[in-house]
Amino acid sequence: MNTLALGLDRTMLELKMYFRERDQVFFSFLFPILLLALFATVFGPQFEGEPGGITAGSYFLPGMISAGILLTSFQTMALTVTTERDDGTLRRLRATPMPPVAYFLGKVGLVAVTALAQLVLLLLVARTVFDVSLPTEASRWLTFGWVYVLGVFGGTVLGVAYSSLATSSRSAGAAVIGPVIVLQFISGVYFAFRDIPTWLQQLASFFPLKWVAQGMRSVFYPGVLASDEMAGSWEHGRTALVLAAWAIAGLVLCVTTFRWTKRGSV
Amino acid sequence: MTPAITVRGLRKTYGDLAAVDGIDLDIEPGECFALLGPNGAGKSTTVEILEGFRVRDAGEVSVLGTDPANADRAWRDRIGIVLQSCAGLDLLTPREALRSAAKVYRKPRDVEEVIAATGLSEKADDRVAKLSGGQRRRLDVALGILGRPDLLFLDEPTTGFDPKARRDFWTLIDSLAAEGTTILLTTHYLEEAEALADRVGVIAAGRLLALDTPQALGGRASQEAVVGWEENGTRHTLTTATPTAQVSALAARLGPEVPGLTIGRPTLEDVYLGLIAPHLTVTEENS
C-alpha cells in the first residue's frame, strides 16, 4: 500500500480509538458545545438590550470555536503522542515497515475530522437552538477559513512538539491540561478579553490562542465591537503573522524534536 | 551461506558502565538462537542494537546483510519484533489491530490464519483491554509474525504464561522455525531455551561467557552423572563418569529392573547458574 492509503487507514484507526475513549470525547470534543449551551442559557437574560443586538449565543460562539480548536488539535495531540511514546506504541510502529509519514497523516486526519465535526456541531447548535445569525458575507468566511486552518494546523504541530517535553504519560495530564486551561482564561475564550488586566492581555498576546479568538470574534461579532479589542481594531494582518509564525515554529520543533522512543533510551 | 546476524566487537557504554563489552556472534539463517543472562547483563542492549533501536559505540553489526543503524523500510519488512508489551491497543480488537498492521507489509500472512495460529479466534473481536496477560502476549506474537519475517526477535515471549499456554507457544515457534524463520530469543526460562533453541549464548557483565548447543553448554554432556537406586530399602547415589557401566552392573546385581533407578546430568539451569555466579555481585552493584 502506498503512504497515502496507509495514512487513510491510520486515520480510520485513530478515529475509532478516539471515539471509543469516553474521557477524550467528552473533554475535547463535546466540552465546547456543552459550554456554549450552558453559557448561552445562563447568561441569556443579561444580553438583552446589548449594543449591536448581540445575544449570549453569538457572544460566546467565537470563544467556543477557539477553545474547540485548542482542544481537538493541541490538547489531543500533546496527550496522545505522549502516551503513545511512553507506552511503547511508537516504538512498536517504528519496528514495522510503516512509513513514518503515514503515522503523522493519521494524526492530521484525526484532528481534521474531529475539529470539523465539532465546528459543524457548534454552528448547528448556535444556529438552531440559540438562534445565532451566522455571517453571510464571503469576506467574513474567508477570514474564518484562514484563521481556522492556521489555528488547527498550528495546534496540531505544537501539540506534537509539546509532547517531547513531557517525560511520562503520568505527568502529561497535568503538564498539558494545566496550561491549556490557563491559556483559555487569559485569551478571552470564556469571558470578554477587554475585562482582563492589561499585563495578562500582553502575556496572552504571545500565544496563538488569543489571536485565534480575536480572529473568530472578527468573523462573528458586529463590526462596531472591534473598538473593544486591545488595538481598537481586528488586526487581521498581525493575527495572520502571529499564527503563521507559531505554525512554522511548531512544524520545525515537531520535526526536530520528535522521538519514537522515550528519553534516555538511546 | 552468509549468517543472518553477524556481530564483531560490539560495545555500548553508558557513562562509565560498559553494558556491552565486546561481543562476537554469528547466527545462521534458519537457526533458533537463545540469549540468556541475568537482568542488566547486556542482553536487551545487544538485542536493541540488532533491532535498530539503539546506537552502538563500537563494533560491526550486520543483520540480514544490513547495518541496523541504517535500516530502511525494505529491511523492516523482513524483520519481526515481539516487544515486551502490546500497549496502546486497548481500544481496538485483535482483529482490527492485525488488519491495520498487515497493510504495511509487502507480503503479509492472512490475518485470519494468524489469529487461528496464535489461538486468538475466540477473542478476535473483544477489546484488547479485556484480554488476559497471556492473550495479550499472543497478540504481540501475532503482530510480530504478521509480515512473514525472515528474522524474528522474541523478547521474553512467555513471561506470565501458564504451563499449557507456554507449551502451545513453543509449538507455534517450532512451526515458524520449521518454515525457515531465523529466531533470536531472549528468555529467563532455561527449559524454554532447551525446548526451542538450536544454540544458546550466556551473557553476563556485557560479555558472552558461553556459546553452545543446550545439550553441550558448559561441558554439560561430558560432566559426571549421578546414578540413584534403591537397595535393601535404602536409597543410594553414586557420581560417575561411566553411568551406563554402573547401570549394567546394578542390573546384573539387582535384576533386569533396578528399583527406583534415576540417572541425572546437570540441568541447563545448573550449568547456567554456575556460569553466571562469578558475575552476579558485579551485576547487582551496577543495577
Side-chain angles (χ1 to χ4, degrees):
Chain A
M1 268 189 149
N2 66 37
T3 304
L4 210 60
L6 290 174
L8 192 66
D9 184 70
R10 290 289 315 167
T11 301
M12 301 312 291
L13 209 68
E14 295 273 8
L15 284 169
K16 250 182 213 170
M17 293 194 279
Y18 181 89
F19 283 106
R20 284 175 186 177
E21 181 90 271
R22 280 193 209 99
D23 299 357
Q24 187 98 274
V25 171
F26 185 78
F27 284 107
S28 74
F29 189 76
L30 294 177
F31 200 57
I33 302 166
L34 293 174
L35 276 189
L36 178 72
L38 192 70
F39 288 175
T41 308
V42 172
F43 298 109
Q46 289 181 27
F47 278 84
E48 282 164 22
E50 273 285 309
I54 195 165
T55 63
S58 44
Y59 181 79
F60 287 109
L61 180 63
M64 292 309 125
I65 290 175
S66 309
I69 290 173
L70 178 72
L71 296 176
T72 49
S73 64
F74 180 82
Q75 179 171 303
T76 304
M77 283 304 102
L79 286 179
T80 59
V81 176
T82 306
T83 308
E84 287 175 356
R85 182 178 295 119
D86 196 45
D87 71 13
T89 304
L90 290 186
R91 195 184 144 122
R92 180 171 52 75
L93 291 174
R94 194 77 188 105
T96 72
M98 181 196 71
V101 174
Y103 171 78
F104 292 106
L105 286 178
K107 291 292 183 199
V108 169
L110 169 70
V111 172
V113 172
T114 52
L116 272 175
Q118 183 184 57
L119 173 72
V120 168
L121 278 175
L122 266 172
L123 293 179
L124 209 66
V125 168
R127 183 78 200 87
T128 57
V129 182
F130 300 101
D131 205 24
V132 174
S133 51
L134 300 177
T136 46
E137 304 99 308
S139 64
R140 286 192 178 230
W141 286 109
L142 184 71
T143 306
F144 175 84
W146 64 256
V147 172
Y148 187 78
V149 168
L150 279 177
V152 172
F153 179 81
T156 306
V157 288
L158 286 166
V160 175
Y162 195 81
S163 76
S164 304
L165 293 178
T167 45
S168 77
S169 52
R170 258 169 298 152
S171 63
V176 174
I177 294 169
V180 159
I181 290 175
V182 172
L183 206 56
Q184 289 178 82
F185 274 103
I186 67 171
S187 299
V189 164
Y190 291 135
F191 46 86
F193 194 61
R194 60 163 190 239
D195 296 343
I196 297 167
T198 313
W199 66 274
L200 263 185
Q201 287 183 340
Q202 284 162 347
L203 180 68
S205 301
F206 283 107
F207 299 101
L209 184 61
K210 181 254 178 189
W211 299 97
V212 171
Q214 187 171 316
M216 287 301 168
R217 285 196 295 274
S218 81
V219 173
F220 293 98
Y221 281 8
V224 292
L225 288 184
S227 57
D228 281 352
E229 298 296 331
M230 269 174 98
S233 73
W234 296 124
E235 297 182 281
H236 279 162
R238 183 171 289 181
T239 303
L241 217 62
V242 174
L243 291 182
W246 271 103
I248 291 166
L251 185 64
V252 170
L253 277 174
C254 181
V255 170
T256 51
T257 63
F258 190 81
R259 305 173 52 98
W260 294 92
T261 49
K262 275 187 274 187
R263 233 184 296 181
S265 58
V266 167
Chain B
M1 206 157 23
T2 38
I5 296 178
T6 308
V7 177
R8 289 289 175 273
L10 181 64
R11 287 181 60 83
K12 173 77 187 176
T13 52
Y14 300 109
D16 292 338
L17 171 69
V20 179
D21 195 9
I23 284 184
D24 299 320
L25 187 64
D26 284 314
I27 297 176
E28 298 303 322
E31 186 177 22
C32 179
F33 188 92
L35 210 48
L36 309 176
N39 289 328
K43 217 171 25 169
S44 299
T45 304
T46 304
V47 172
E48 283 171 4
I49 290 169
L50 298 179
E51 291 169 344
F53 280 123
R54 267 176 211 272
V55 183
R56 62 186 183 270
D57 293 332
E60 281 167 39
V61 177
S62 168
V63 176
L64 299 180
T66 299
D67 182 341
N70 310 320
D72 58 5
R73 199 177 161 188
W75 183 79
R76 295 198 189 281
D77 202 76
R78 299 174 61 200
I79 304 278
I81 300 180
V82 177
L83 296 166
Q84 281 187 8
S85 76
C86 66
L89 299 171
D90 278 4
L91 295 163
L92 298 172
T93 69
R95 183 172 275 124
E96 286 169 343
L98 287 164
R99 279 202 180 144
S100 175
K103 295 195 169 110
V104 307
Y105 293 101
R106 265 184 307 196
K107 43 175 181 55
R109 280 176 220 273
D110 180 61
V111 167
E112 298 309 314
E113 263 173 40
V114 171
I115 288 173
T118 48
L120 285 169
S121 299
E122 282 172 26
K123 299 285 175 185
D125 294 315
D126 286 7
R127 293 279 174 87
V128 172
K130 289 186 192 154
L131 301 188
S132 71
Q135 288 160 346
R136 281 162 164 260
R137 209 74 193 98
R138 277 183 264 161
L139 177 58
D140 290 333
V141 175
L143 287 164
I145 66 173
L146 193 57
R148 221 184 286 273
D150 295 332
L151 169 62
L152 182 64
F153 291 96
L154 289 168
D155 197 2
E156 297 178 16
T158 63
T159 302
F161 277 32
D162 63 46
K164 166 77 167 69
R166 180 166 294 142
R167 295 280 164 172
D168 291 347
F169 177 80
W170 291 354
T171 310
L172 174 65
I173 298 305
D174 271 336
S175 70
L176 292 174
E179 289 171 25
T181 311
T182 309
I183 295 168
L184 176 55
L185 165 81
T186 66
T187 181
H188 282 302
Y189 299 108
L190 281 300
E191 74 274 25
E192 184 159 283
E194 191 149 29
L196 293 177
D198 300 312
R199 285 190 305 155
V200 297
V202 177
I203 288 190
R207 290 170 180 277
L208 199 58
L209 299 179
L211 177 69
D212 215 326
T213 64
Q215 295 73 31
L217 192 79
R220 189 176 159 203
S222 57
Q223 281 183 20
E224 296 196 325
V226 177
V227 178
W229 73 96
E230 278 167 26
E231 195 172 355
N232 304 327
T234 50
R235 180 120 198 110
H236 298 263
T237 58
L238 180 73
T239 305
T240 171
T242 55
T244 314
Q246 284 301 324
V247 172
S248 301
L250 284 170
R253 190 162 87 233
L254 302 169
E257 276 308 317
V258 179
L261 177 69
T262 56
I263 303 171
R265 297 257 184 207
T267 63
L268 187 56
E269 188 160 304
D270 296 333
V271 174
Y272 168 77
L273 291 174
L275 278 167
I276 64 165
H279 301 276
L280 278 181
T281 46
V282 177
T283 323
E284 274 160 16
E285 275 166 17
N286 288 338
S287 60

